[in-house]
Amino acid sequence: MSLVISTISLGLLWSVLALGVYITFRVLNIADLSVEGTFPLGAAVAAALIDKGAAPLAAVAAAAAAGMIGGALTGLMHTKLKIPALLAGILTMIGLYSVNLRVMGKANISLLGMDTMYSRMEEMGLSKEVAVLAAGVLVVAVIAALMYWFFGTEVGMSIRATGQNPQMIRAQGVNTHHTILLGLILGNALVAISGALIAQNNGFADVGMGIGTIVIGLASVIIGEVLFGARSFKNSLIAVVLGSIVYRAVIAAVLKLGMSPNDLKLLTAVLVALALSLPLMKEKILAAKGGGANAAR
Amino acid sequence: MLRVEKVSKTFYKGTVNEKVALDNVSVQLAPGDFVTVIGGNGAGKSTLLNAVAGVYPVDGGEGRIYIDGRDVTKMAEHQRARYIGRVFQDPMLGTAAGMMLRENLALAARRGKRLGLKWGLPAGETAFYKERLRALDLGLEERLDAKVGLLSGGQRQAVTLLMAVLQRPPLLLLDEHTAALDPKTAEKVLQLTEQIVSENNLTTLMITHNMRDAIAMGNRLIMMEEGKMIIDLAGEDKKNLTVARLLEAFEQVSHKSFTQDTALLSK
Ligand SMILES: Nc1ncnc2c1ncn2[C@@H]1O[C@H](COP(=O)(O)OP(=O)(O)OP(=O)(O)O)[C@@H](O)[C@H]1O
Ligand SMILES: [Mg+2]
């Protein structure tokens, strides 16, 4: 029972990362690797502040702000300096590695025994387990609701259109530099928030905790879309959150079956590679049967 | 309404691939002018429209572009968009496929306006969109919530055309907007074009590869070759124009014989 609850809780905390990746990868149509730097950045900022006695919520807010700056750097390099998005993200990621070490002053900070978001809720009489679950539900509900609202506004609509067809939206008078920048800022804010939440749950922030986060985010997005559909924006948001929980369940299951934790990243990478090639493979199989869209060409 | 003065555009300037796509072009359109533009492949037609739309900057120097009296030469593409409605050759380019028809129209209805955090799809606008879609006579008024990617190429071009004129722009630019459609659909979209342009009295530049369409439509015809305007017919000359007369005029001004360069134009 407790494994189920902790899996769901972890899935929720990580789903904030997945929602951030959804903004860059699906809405903006950019594979943004800054995530690998902004996730530990969020963790580092939150941990360093909590270590200095800051209120946990304020620490999370500061983490979000730091994530925004990270996303803005990638966005500015991509739009103003015309550096390809993938490379701009890698530069941010690498640069942030040093920044994260500076922020923490060392390779990791332990939060054991300190005041975290969850310990604050425990003081209200909840068990640690329920506290994390409640915090996860609350945070994800607020973020998903805000995203649903924002991407339905005029500005949000123009960001979605930018990811789909930048030429079209420029012809409608929108500065795509601004929309891309804004999307990267928002996506990385969520990623950093996720880092801050995870660090408090783990009881530490570590400079290496960003490795593979982009793949975890992609896995959650894709698993969610495959299992729960992407008919509408609202549907996609729910699917991504559920996808993150399913991903955590898969991890918990294979660990339980005796897989070495060291092999998890390989498993995730293979999963994402398979999922990303799914559309192509479907087409190939259909074509082999003589009914595919490309078969006639 | 549109004034292009001594505009040149050179691609890959200073390299072995240097290409003068527009060579000191000047042209002026009066309000309500409907100009058809023809010319062989690579003549510079698209470059002219793209230069006006601000897709890329034109060569520095004395070249100037004015829309509605405003100097837009230095304006970015998105800043000029408020003055210009555009339809592209590729039906995929004019709309966002994964967004609803309603959302595409809402974005077009806000072209050039300051976007804010207001809800993008106010219920009050539905009636307006329906009315405008009904005028297209394609049954699209019932499909406001359909993703545009589900529409046919012809329907998407009709929608793009509607989006382009939703705010009655000072200038409408059409770049072979029916070239990717089957003949019947192309016919229908051309009809809609004539109807919309004349109803709104829009100043229009329309590129076409079809000489008959170029002759039949509009009140003025321009032929381009090697980055220059070599023929510009208006008024009675344009009204009485036939394919034979156009070919004759072409052979007079061009150093090439018709078949060599312009055979790609379909009569
Ligand atoms: N973005 C670009 N980069 C480099 N060269 C370009 C670009 N756009 C056009 N050209 C070149 O400029 C010349 C004019 O091209 P343009 O597209 O204006 O021709 P066009 O008259 O529209 O021809 P078509 O009928 O084939 O569409 C061509 O030689 C083309 O190769
Ligand atoms: Mg062209």
Side-chain angles (χ1 to χ4, degrees):
Chain A
M1 189 59 211
S2 92
L3 182 64
V4 174
I5 292 188
S6 71
T7 301
I8 294 176
S9 305
L10 260 189
L12 286 170
L13 300 186
W14 279 100
S15 75
V16 179
L17 164 100
L19 289 169
V21 169
Y22 178 79
I23 293 179
T24 51
F25 186 65
R26 278 293 185 241
V27 175
L28 277 186
N29 202 13
I30 286 177
D32 174 32
L33 291 187
S34 358
V35 168
E36 303 250 327
T38 50
F39 182 81
L41 175 66
V45 167
L49 286 174
I50 289 174
D51 190 42
K52 295 207 164 52
L57 267 185
V60 173
M68 288 182 173
I69 296 173
L73 289 177
T74 303
L76 288 172
M77 280 193 274
H78 176 46
T79 56
K80 301 297 175 206
L81 304 182
K82 306 268 180 260
I83 298 175
L86 203 61
L87 191 49
I90 290 176
L91 294 175
T92 300
M93 162 185 120
I94 296 294
L96 284 181
Y97 188 87
S98 299
V99 172
N100 293 341
L101 279 171
R102 287 262 174 205
V103 168
M104 294 196 290
K106 51 192 169 188
N108 57 66
I109 293 179
S110 169
L111 294 174
L112 284 180
M114 296 204 196
D115 226 8
T116 66
M117 271 175 64
Y118 315 113
S119 71
R120 288 278 171 98
M121 293 176 80
E122 282 174 63
E123 282 162 21
M124 293 191 269
L126 302 175
S127 70
K128 157 102 194 201
E129 210 172 40
V130 176
V132 177
L133 182 66
V137 169
L138 215 66
V139 170
V140 170
V142 168
I143 288 177
L146 280 175
M147 277 176 75
Y148 179 71
W149 163 75
F150 176 72
F151 285 103
T153 65
E154 294 172 347
V155 173
M157 256 177 17
S158 71
I159 295 179
R160 281 192 290 140
T162 302
Q164 300 224 345
N165 188 343
Q167 178 166 4
M168 167 265 185
I169 196 66
R170 271 197 298 274
Q172 303 306 333
V174 171
N175 186 342
T176 48
H177 285 186
H178 292 172
T179 46
I180 291 172
L181 197 56
L182 197 51
L184 285 169
I185 286 174
L186 293 177
N188 282 288
L190 295 189
V191 171
I193 289 175
S194 183
L197 297 176
I198 296 286
Q200 293 179 62
N201 186 52
N202 287 353
F204 65 88
D206 185 279
V207 71
M209 71 193 284
I211 298 173
T213 42
I214 180 68
V215 185
I216 293 173
L218 290 176
S220 307
V221 169
I222 297 167
I223 291 173
E225 286 177 344
V226 168
L227 293 183
F228 307 104
R231 280 179 307 281
S232 65
F233 192 73
K234 196 195 293 175
N235 182 231
S236 294
L237 290 180
I238 295 169
V240 168
V241 173
L242 294 179
S244 173
I245 294 173
V246 169
Y247 173 76
R248 283 298 139 190
V250 171
I251 298 293
V254 295
L255 285 179
K256 194 113 188 146
L257 290 174
M259 190 169 191
S260 156
N262 291 339
D263 294 335
L264 280 183
K265 288 206 170 26
L266 178 61
L267 174 75
T268 310
V270 171
L271 265 181
V272 170
L274 284 178
L276 283 176
S277 59
L278 213 59
L280 182 72
M281 288 203 277
K282 236 191 224 163
E283 201 170 294
K284 282 241 164 93
I285 291 167
L286 282 176
K289 285 184 188 158
N294 285 337
R297 279 182 211 158
Chain B
M1 195 48 78
L2 170 69
R3 203 160 90 233
V4 176
E5 273 175 12
K6 299 184 181 163
V7 163
S8 298
K9 176 69 195 175
T10 314
F11 290 108
Y12 308 117
K13 202 169 193 137
T15 74
V16 284
N17 293 321
E18 182 166 301
K19 172 79 206 173
V20 180
L22 284 183
D23 189 358
N24 205 22
V25 168
S26 298
V27 64
Q28 189 161 355
L29 269 62
D33 263 358
F34 183 173
V35 182
T36 57
V37 183
I38 54 172
N41 287 115
K45 308 180 296 294
S46 296
T47 307
L48 174 66
L49 258 61
N50 288 336
V52 170
V55 175
Y56 29 64
V58 296
D59 294 353
E62 44 179 356
R64 282 278 167 280
I65 299 169
Y66 301 88
I67 300 175
D68 219 358
R70 260 178 232 92
D71 185 347
V72 300
T73 319
K74 294 273 179 276
M75 273 191 201
E77 181 181 7
H78 67 93
Q79 292 170 313
R80 297 182 205 190
R82 61 196 307 178
Y83 313 120
I84 303 173
R86 278 157 80 195
V87 186
F88 312 96
Q89 176 170 350
D90 182 349
M92 303 301 149
L93 287 184
T95 46
M99 296 173 77
M100 292 185 287
L101 178 50
R102 182 196 294 279
E103 293 175 312
N104 276 276
L105 291 170
L107 287 166
R110 287 161 179 73
R111 184 168 64 228
K113 308 227 159 85
R114 212 187 150 71
L115 300 184
L117 293 178
K118 289 194 293 289
W119 191 243
L121 297 171
E125 292 176 8
T126 302
F128 170 62
Y129 298 147
K130 282 199 170 178
E131 176 200 320
R132 299 299 298 261
L133 285 168
R134 202 169 289 123
L136 298 180
D137 199 19
L138 294 169
L140 291 174
E141 61 275 14
E142 302 305 329
R143 303 186 64 186
L144 272 175
D145 292 328
K147 298 222 167 121
V148 170
L150 298 174
L151 306 182
S152 71
Q155 288 173 325
R156 285 182 77 164
Q157 275 316 58
V159 168
T160 309
L161 187 60
L162 176 57
M163 286 167 61
V165 302
L166 207 55
Q167 294 196 55
R168 203 178 170 282
L171 184 63
L172 178 63
L173 301 178
L174 311 169
D175 188 351
E176 296 192 52
H177 66 306
T178 61
L181 307 176
D182 65 80
K184 233 180 109 194
T185 315
E187 181 71 21
K188 168 84 189 160
V189 172
L190 280 183
Q191 260 176 29
L192 280 173
T193 307
E194 288 218 285
Q195 176 194 326
I196 287 174
V197 168
S198 72
E199 272 171 12
N200 296 287
N201 193 29
L202 294 169
T203 310
T204 305
L205 263 176
M206 178 179 102
I207 298 177
T208 172
H209 257 231
N210 188 306
M211 234 188 260
R212 278 181 204 290
D213 293 338
I215 290 170
M217 297 174 72
N219 65 333
R220 184 171 163 193
L221 179 146
I222 286 172
M223 187 187 269
M224 291 190 67
E225 192 190 66
E226 294 182 353
K228 293 192 180 73
M229 295 188 170
I230 54 168
I231 293 177
D232 185 349
L233 298 169
E236 289 302 307
D237 290 342
K238 165 70 171 62
K239 252 185 220 145
N240 303 326
L241 198 58
T242 61
V243 171
R245 274 194 209 169
L246 184 57
L247 295 183
E248 203 179 300
F250 174 79
E251 295 197 339
Q252 268 175 21
V253 291
S254 173
H255 39 282
K256 290 180 187 160
S257 82
F258 172 72
T259 44
Q260 199 185 331
D261 182 56
T262 336
L264 288 154
L265 286 168
S266 48
K267 293 188 220 168

